[in-house]
Amino acid sequence: MKYPLYQLAVYLLVLGIYTSCSTKKSESTILDEEKFKLTKIDSFQVDNFTRISILDYSPEEKIYLGYAINEDDILEISEKGQILKRVHKKGDGPGNYGNWNPIGLGFGPTEQRIVELPFAVFSYDKNYEVINEHRIMSPLPIRANAPLGRPPFYQLADTTYLLVGPSNYLTATLLIHNQEGKDTLQNFYQLNMQTGSVKSVIPYEDNSIYNSTENIYQELMGKSFFADRASNEFAVVHNLDTEILIYDLPGLTLSRSIPIVHSEFLTYPPLPIGTSFSDERTIALNRLSARNQKLLNLGDKTYLLQYFTGVSQAEYDSRNSEEAPYIGRFDTNEQRILIFKNGKQIPHELSGIVGSLIISLPDSKILVQEPENSDLEEEFTRFSIYQLQTN
């Protein structure tokens, strides 16, 4: 089993707690439709002396945007896996973004490349000449070996907006040291790329599980999201939510929600603010609790949601004795995939896929990064393409 490529050095205190419960919703939220399956239809590898990650795909240019982890190079990659362009922008000097590694990387409008750093955002043209550069305030000075995701963008007339900030990619627990942090630091930061103005947007909804307690869900305050510019909507699901929240664009007001029915969702209670990061209860919560993991837009009003079912302490102990260290949230046997179409959930769940779900592609396809062979020092990174099909 292979675990995430990214190792983070983060400066923080953290908290949480746990006992068990399950979550269910009304069957009336489920759509009775044909069955779906995910089929592997293609694969490719990117040859590089060190591991690379892919963050985005441009259907207009038909290329992937990636990052070479050890070289700190931005990569443009063909659909067959060939590195077409290698750009080094780390370091001092005109057009460079300094000595921090990007935490976000993706395509922007009109063939732009967006590089998000902990304290700044750069937009480049396709020749990597700077178009815009804006400093942003960050409550969390994080260092990442490689980008953790892609910053979503949307537009109003001639103005481009980005949603930025470290809690886009990390659990917001890492930001929280007190009650004020719990109340205010869970948001996205909306950056106006023309003016550089930033404001906090999309707080937790009043009925959110995160607002139901004075305590916090340590390591379980992350989210997955996408901007659907075709329908002018923004979708987000938090780790412990039982609904997908849909906001309008560019206003970012809640327009509707889509209930989620998990077949198994074993969760644990939160811990008081101030609980030590090394507390056994904090560690147990991170190891055991269910969580929503990845939300993808497959187009044609079809969404995919991958989640981890959660495990009991006894299950964890048994599996850890056989495969130490056992990390349940990366165990495909404990992952499920839900499909939503036209705002309703398809009745049957799909099994987990070996590898990491990265991004959606045109024609209901998904890019998956395959696990690294831990026994060999490979000079390539493998990717698969799956397609959502009907039986």
Side-chain angles (χ1 to χ4, degrees), residues 55-117:
L55 282 303
D56 207 353
Y57 172 78
S58 169
E60 295 80 20
E61 299 184 59
K62 298 189 183 305
I63 58 172
Y64 295 104
L65 193 62
Y67 194 82
I69 295 172
N70 283 5
E71 298 97 324
D72 294 319
D73 289 338
I74 298 171
L75 306 176
E76 295 186 4
I77 302 165
S78 76
E79 294 178 316
K80 298 297 183 182
Q82 179 185 4
I83 297 176
L84 303 174
K85 184 181 290 187
R86 183 186 295 269
V87 180
H88 191 83
K89 286 291 181 179
K90 184 177 179 180
D92 299 326
N96 289 346
Y97 51 67
N99 293 314
W100 290 73
N101 290 343
I103 61 172
L105 178 67
F107 288 106
T110 59
E111 300 183 333
Q112 291 183 34
R113 282 73 168 135
I114 305 296
V115 179
E116 179 185 354
L117 302 147

Side-chain angles (χ1 to χ4, degrees), residues 371-388:
E372 183 180 359
N373 187 336
S374 59
D375 297 326
L376 298 173
E377 189 171 341
E378 298 173 329
E379 296 182 351
F380 53 83
T381 307
R382 296 185 300 267
F383 296 88
S384 297
I385 296 176
Y386 285 76
Q387 186 175 48
L388 184 68

Side-chain angles (χ1 to χ4, degrees), residues 24-41:
K24 286 222 170 190
K25 272 214 174 261
S26 167
E27 294 297 318
S28 65
T29 64
I30 294 181
L31 182 67
D32 186 14
E33 272 202 5
E34 70 269 35
K35 289 187 176 180
F36 286 86
K37 61 182 178 181
L38 282 168
T39 303
K40 183 176 178 178
I41 61 168

Side-chain angles (χ1 to χ4, degrees), residues 21 23 179 182-183 186 203-217 220-221 240-242 267-271 273:
C21 66
T23 308
Q179 186 64 39
K182 177 180 181 293
D183 292 339
Q186 75 279 0
Y204 292 135
E205 296 300 319
D206 290 341
N207 63 349
S208 167
I209 187 174
Y210 301 103
N211 279 335
S212 67
T213 174
E214 299 248 326
N215 298 331
I216 66 168
Y217 289 91
L220 295 170
M221 299 174 78
L240 296 177
D241 275 349
T242 54
T267 60
Y268 294 79
L271 288 172
I273 291 177

Side-chain angles (χ1 to χ4, degrees), residues 21-24 238-242 262-267 289-292 307-310:
C21 66
S22 304
T23 308
K24 286 222 170 190
H238 289 87
N239 284 163
L240 296 177
D241 275 349
T242 54
H262 303 97
S263 64
E264 181 182 3
F265 206 67
L266 189 63
T267 60
S289 179
R291 69 203 66 188
N292 299 307
Y307 75 92
F308 168 52
T309 63

